Amino acid sequence: MASHSRNLRKLITSDWSKVFAVGGSFVVASGYSLERLREKDSEVFAQNSTFASLTRLKRQFVSIFGDVNIHAESAQVSENRRVKKVDKPSQQKKIAHKRFEKFASLEYTNGELIMTPMDFIESVTQTNPRPRIGRRKVTEKDLDTLLRSTPKPSKNYKGHDFFQKLDTDGVLTFPEYCFLVACLTKTRSDIEIAYKTFDRDNSSKIEKREFEQFAGRIAYAIAKHVVDIGSEAIPRTTLSQHFFGKGGTGKLAYDQFLSFIRSLQTEILMVEFTEFSKGLRTISEDEFARILLRHTQVPAEQQEKMMENLLKEGNPTFKGITFEEFCEFFYFLNNIEDFAVAVEIFSYAGQNLNKAAFQRAYKITTHGKEIPSTILDTMFLLFDVNNDGELSKKEFIGQMKDAVQRGFRYHTDEFIGWQGFKKCLVKERNATTEE
C-alpha cells in the first residue's frame, strides 16, 4: 500500500512532456502510429480508473490553470502561496496587467479598472486601443445603466456576437478578463475538466461563488498575482449577471458553459476575419498571414521580409481563404501541443517537417481533417526561410504557440530586433529539447 501511494504521488508530480518524449523513441521503434499509441494508451488506462482519472485531471487541469496546486478532493490554490508577498512581479504578470490596463476604458469609484465588452474584443484582436481621452468614472448607480442590455443565458449561443452586441454596455473585471482570455485557447476536453473540477457538489451546475473562484484562480495562474476573489467592490458584472441573474442566485449548466465558450472563440475569429474581408467571402493569403503573425515574437522588420517572400512566390496561385478554413486552422492551433508530439515522433523516424509530414501531423491532430492547400502553401512560403521545402519544427511550433496565446505567452527575456528574434528561437528550441 505504501509503495502504491508513493507511485501515485510520483505520477501526480511527474513531468508529462518528458515522459511522453521518452516514449516517443519506443513508438517509432515499435512501428506504432500516433493513433495506435492513443488506442494503447486508452486500453492501459482503462484497466485502472483511478490512474486514468488522475492522469487526465493532471494533464488537462494544469494546461488551463498553469502553476496552481492540485489537491485530491478539490482544486484549491495553496493558502501559503495566496498570501505570499511578491516582491518582483513576473514578466507574465506584467503582460497580463499591462494589457488589461492599456485597454480598460472604465474606472470604478475605488480606483479599480474595469473593461467594457468592446474593450475585451479590442484587447485580443488589436495592438492598440482606439483613441480616447482618459477613462470614464463609474459608480455603483451607473452599473444599472451599463448592465441593462445584459441578456439572459441561452442554451445555444448561435449568433457568435455576444460581446459585439453589448459593445460598450457592460462591465468586466480583471479576473473575468483572464478567464475569457484563457478560454480562447481551450479545447472541449479542457473545458469539461475545468467545469467538473469546480462543480464541487457534482450537481452539474456552477453557482456564482464557484465561478468567481474559478475566474480568480485563472487570474492567479496567468498573472501570478493574488486576486481578491469575489470582491464586493463591484457587486455586479456582465458575466455574473448573464450567468446567474441580477440577484446572483442562478446556476450555470455545463452545456451552457461549453456553448458560451465555443461561441466566444468563434466570435473573436469572426471579428479578426471581418476586419480584413470587408464583407467578402474570403480573405487573401497575405491577410491571413498578417493575422497569424501579429501576436508572435517575430520582429516587424522580419515580418515584412517574410511577407515579401509570400507575395513574390505565392501570388500566381492565391485563391483566398474562407471563414470556415480560417476557423478550422485556429481551432487546430488550440491543439498545437498534440501537433508537436506528432512531429516529434516523425523526427525520431528521421522524417523532416516537409509538406507531407505537416499534412500527416495536421490530420492526426484534427482527427482526420485535411489542411486546405492554400493554408499549407502559405505556411511554407511564410516560415520556410531557407526555401528548402522544410520547416524548422522547433521554431515554427514556438511561433505558433505565441500566435495562439495572442501575446500573453510568458517570455523571461526581452527579445528586440533580428538578433533578439534568433535568441528567442534558440531559447524555444532548447526548452523543447529539455522537455
Side-chain angles (χ1 to χ4, degrees), residues 163-434:
F163 291 91
Q164 293 175 84
K165 277 188 173 181
L166 289 174
D167 197 8
T168 58
D169 290 335
V171 171
L172 297 170
T173 62
F174 177 67
E176 291 174 334
Y177 172 68
C178 291
F179 159 74
L180 293 172
V181 168
C183 287
L184 291 178
T185 63
K186 299 311 167 194
T187 64
R188 184 182 185 120
S189 59
D190 291 332
I191 297 166
E192 182 178 4
I193 289 293
Y195 184 93
K196 289 181 178 179
T197 300
F198 283 88
D199 178 20
R200 296 185 179 182
D201 57 0
N202 296 317
S203 63
S204 297
K205 300 281 186 179
I206 286 182
E207 299 177 355
K208 182 181 177 181
R209 179 62 180 174
E210 291 173 320
F211 174 76
E212 288 172 342
Q213 292 174 334
F214 187 11
R217 286 164 188 162
I218 292 178
Y220 179 87
I222 289 179
K224 299 296 183 288
H225 178 63
V226 177
V227 178
D228 186 9
I229 301 172
S231 171
E232 296 182 357
I234 302 178
R236 287 180 290 127
T237 67
T238 295
L239 290 185
S240 66
Q241 182 165 314
H242 173 66
F243 289 146
F244 308 105
K246 193 171 182 179
T249 58
K251 295 185 178 182
L252 179 62
Y254 170 70
D255 289 344
Q256 293 174 307
F257 184 67
L258 174 63
S259 181
F260 175 84
I261 293 175
R262 297 294 283 177
S263 179
L264 165 66
Q265 293 174 344
T266 303
E267 179 175 3
I268 296 303
L269 293 175
M270 187 179 293
V271 169
E272 290 188 306
F273 186 88
T274 304
E275 177 187 350
F276 288 90
S277 69
K278 302 297 189 294
L280 299 177
R281 185 175 178 273
T282 63
I283 59 174
S284 66
E285 282 78 352
D286 62 297
E287 290 169 333
F288 168 76
R290 291 192 185 280
I291 295 173
L292 192 63
L293 288 172
R294 120 163 95 190
H295 296 302
T296 66
Q297 293 287 319
V298 181
E301 62 269 23
Q302 182 60 19
Q303 287 191 27
E304 289 307 314
K305 291 180 182 179
M306 296 166 73
M307 292 301 302
E308 287 175 9
N309 185 62
L310 174 66
L311 292 169
K312 178 182 177 182
E313 302 294 333
N315 253 329
T317 59
F318 281 173
K319 59 181 181 181
I321 295 170
T322 66
F323 179 64
E324 290 75 17
E325 293 171 337
F326 181 80
C327 282
E328 285 297 337
F329 183 79
F330 276 89
Y331 290 148
F332 151 73
L333 287 186
N334 286 349
N335 294 280
I336 192 66
E337 296 291 351
D338 290 344
F339 179 81
V341 170
V343 170
E344 191 66 25
I345 291 175
F346 295 163
S347 70
Y348 278 118
Q351 185 173 5
N352 297 326
L353 188 53
N354 54 26
K355 284 189 177 181
F358 195 109
Q359 287 175 309
R360 186 181 172 202
Y362 182 96
K363 191 171 183 178
I364 291 172
T365 304
T366 57
H367 304 288
K369 294 181 180 179
E370 300 282 351
I371 182 172
S373 59
T374 52
I375 292 182
L376 180 64
D377 291 341
T378 299
M379 291 295 98
F380 276 78
L381 288 172
L382 200 63
F383 294 102
D384 180 12
V385 294
N386 298 324
N387 294 317
D388 60 356
E390 297 177 357
L391 302 182
S392 169
K393 64 179 187 300
K394 303 293 192 277
E395 295 169 5
F396 173 75
I397 291 171
Q399 291 158 4
M400 292 303 96
K401 286 180 180 179
D402 281 337
V404 76
Q405 292 295 332
R406 297 177 177 273
F408 286 87
R409 193 165 176 236
Y410 176 41
H411 291 272
T412 57
D413 300 319
E414 294 292 334
F415 303 108
I416 301 174
W418 175 236
Q419 293 301 320
F421 174 55
K422 290 192 290 185
K423 181 180 178 182
C424 174
L425 296 184
V426 171
K427 185 178 181 66
E428 178 64 36
R429 181 173 61 248
N430 292 341
T432 307
T433 302
E434 289 173 1

Side-chain angles (χ1 to χ4, degrees), residues 44-112:
V44 173
F45 285 0
Q47 297 173 12
N48 189 325
S49 59
T50 302
F51 182 89
S53 298
L54 287 171
T55 301
R56 288 194 298 270
L57 182 61
K58 168 69 177 177
R59 181 172 61 250
Q60 299 292 352
F61 194 86
V62 170
S63 74
I64 295 173
F65 295 98
D67 196 17
V68 177
N69 291 336
I70 299 176
H71 298 272
E73 296 181 358
S74 63
Q76 297 180 344
V77 179
S78 167
E79 285 300 321
N80 291 333
R81 297 189 58 185
R82 286 178 54 79
V83 301
K84 182 179 179 180
K85 183 178 179 180
V86 180
D87 295 322
K88 293 182 179 181
S90 67
Q91 183 68 15
Q92 189 169 7
K93 174 183 172 181
K94 290 179 182 177
I95 292 173
H97 274 284
K98 283 184 176 180
R99 195 89 177 152
F100 182 80
E101 292 171 357
K102 184 177 183 179
F103 284 87
S105 62
L106 306 178
E107 183 178 341
Y108 201 56
T109 51
N110 65 350
E112 184 176 352

